[in-house]
Amino acid sequence: MERYTVTQLERLNELNCPKEELDQEFETKEERNEHFKKLEKQLTRYARNDIFDLLESRLITKYRVTSNKMADWLKSEGFTEVITPTIVSKEALKKMGIDSGSQFMEQVFWVDGKHCLRPMLAPNLYVEMRELLRITRKPVKIYEMGSCFRKESQGSQHLNEFTMLNLVELASVKDGEQLQELERLARGAMEALGLEEGEYEFTQEDSEVYGKVSFDIMINGMEVASGSYGPHFLDPAWGVFDTWVGIGFGIERLTMALDKGRTIKRYGRTLSFIDGEPLNI
Ligand code: ATP
Ligand code: MG
């Protein structure tokens, strides 16, 4: 029995071939090769049609559909978008508990000795929410959506550059009600994306940065978001003393989950794909 070669499988995967087709067996190599050719041609046609559909009628990629749905929902919840620098200081990381001792340090992209590409939005949001509370003396609800950078050993769920959407609420709930609020927000986000109860689940996990209070949103066994809350042991270093809740979503992971995709690289910043379809067709 003959099966597809590694090169053929790579090409079929690239073309979004349905999983069942990949396991097919053939009597002879000739039969297999002929089958491969036919399948490749068919899948290429699908991809081309999808690209035409994008350029001529949809005009907006799945990535942007996901981020727009999230932004619309956040607006309806009274959150304001903030835009902060992508380059952050070593000092800021240290205040997040990330310094020479921690494993996370090895994932950081350094720009120079004292600056790096942000691996998370939290340090900037700590400053923004603290200052806004100082000025307004009212509950603060803000979010940022932007690139974060981590050296990852790649794989199907990790990109070196990905888009985090981090929402935070400061001084908005009574102490003791943080987890409840996290759940309410998480449920709201899933609803905004069109997911129904049962299509996602919440778990509580240990987190290197936040200690024992990490709350995760999972879709089909994949983490799509992590939430946390304060008062927290990192807060005093940032001059924050009120309750807060925050959730960081990965836009590419959400998009991949909604599209039932097998690999995240189709959904991120890339020159190899457009809206999940390969460009080398
Ligand atoms: P994981 O354990 O899967 O590596 P994490 O717990 O380190 O993720 P968080 O720091 O909780 O990630 O970041 C919040 C969200 O950002 C994650 O739930 C995920 O959706 C997304 N995310 C984190 N790292 C990446 C990455 N390298 N590529 C794509 N998305 C990511
Ligand atoms: Mg996490």
Side-chain angles (χ1 to χ4, degrees):
M1 281 306 205
E2 298 293 336
R3 313 192 63 181
Y4 288 125
T5 65
V6 174
T7 319
Q8 287 175 332
L9 283 174
E10 254 173 36
R11 182 61 178 158
L12 293 176
N13 262 316
E14 197 171 58
L15 290 168
N16 266 328
C17 183
K19 230 181 179 150
E20 316 81 73
E21 301 264 7
L22 302 175
D23 297 327
Q24 243 184 304
E25 293 183 338
F26 307 92
E27 297 285 339
T28 64
K29 283 197 172 80
E30 288 69 31
E31 193 193 330
R32 176 197 67 197
N33 292 348
E34 201 164 308
H35 228 265
F36 169 77
K37 257 199 204 150
K38 254 201 224 148
L39 190 53
E40 189 191 24
K41 206 167 156 194
Q42 187 189 44
L43 292 169
T44 303
R45 200 170 53 238
Y46 290 156
R48 282 176 60 83
N49 286 345
D50 196 33
I51 290 174
F52 272 110
D53 184 47
L54 169 70
L55 299 179
E56 289 171 358
S57 77
R58 283 186 286 128
L59 309 185
I60 175 170
T61 62
K62 295 178 186 113
Y63 167 99
R64 190 59 71 197
V65 170
T66 307
S67 41
N68 284 354
K69 279 183 186 163
M70 291 295 284
D72 289 347
W73 167 68
L74 284 159
K75 194 169 175 197
S76 77
E77 279 282 338
F79 285 81
T80 302
E81 183 181 17
V82 299
I83 300 173
T84 71
T86 310
I87 296 176
V88 298
S89 69
K90 192 174 184 175
E91 255 337 278
L93 286 197
K94 198 169 168 200
K95 278 161 82 175
M96 291 303 299
I98 303 167
D99 59 14
S100 44
S102 60
Q103 239 184 330
F104 201 95
M105 203 66 166
E106 281 156 37
Q107 290 186 260
V108 176
F109 285 97
W110 293 98
V111 174
D112 61 28
K114 289 189 173 151
H115 300 89
C116 64
L117 298 175
R118 59 185 181 194
M120 56 185 61
L121 303 174
N124 293 351
L125 292 179
Y126 254 127
V127 175
E128 288 265 350
M129 70 182 188
R130 176 193 69 213
E131 293 304 298
L132 292 172
L133 179 65
R134 180 182 59 75
I135 293 166
T136 65
R137 291 281 123 211
K138 283 191 169 158
V140 176
K141 292 184 175 197
I142 53 173
Y143 76 94
E144 176 156 15
M145 180 154 39
S147 282
C148 289
F149 304 82
R150 295 180 189 179
K151 291 182 186 164
E152 304 273 8
S153 41
Q154 297 298 311
S156 62
Q157 297 184 3
H158 290 90
L159 296 161
N160 280 334
E161 177 177 5
F162 63 98
T163 313
M164 181 99 81
L165 188 167
N166 204 154
L167 64 82
V168 284
E169 282 187 5
L170 178 63
S172 70
V173 295
K174 282 202 217 106
D175 199 16
E177 290 174 3
Q178 293 95 329
L179 255 177
Q180 219 176 308
E181 176 66 353
L182 268 183
E183 257 200 68
R184 189 188 70 82
L185 289 166
R187 227 172 268 289
M190 294 299 100
E191 237 169 68
L193 293 172
L195 291 164
E196 288 177 15
E197 201 132 344
E199 292 186 286
Y200 57 84
E201 58 178 339
F202 304 145
T203 63
Q204 284 179 53
E205 230 185 43
D206 291 2
S207 145
E208 199 198 331
V209 176
Y210 297 108
K212 272 233 181 289
V213 283
S214 174
F215 165 97
D216 287 352
I217 308 178
M218 316 285 292
I219 302 178
N220 285 327
M222 172 172 66
E223 178 192 318
V224 294
S226 273
S228 194
Y229 60 88
H232 189 277
F233 69 86
L234 292 173
D235 294 356
W238 293 96
V240 165
F241 303 99
D242 291 271
T243 64
W244 60 266
V245 302
I247 308 179
F249 299 86
I251 295 295
E252 294 85 359
R253 287 220 192 146
L254 286 172
T255 309
M256 174 176 156
L258 293 171
D259 201 39
K260 303 205 180 335
R262 293 200 291 263
T263 164
I264 195 167
K265 64 175 188 238
R266 280 175 202 279
Y267 305 97
R269 291 179 182 266
T270 171
L271 290 175
S272 303
F273 297 93
I274 180 160
D275 202 25
E277 299 297 353
L279 285 173
N280 61 345
I281 51 172

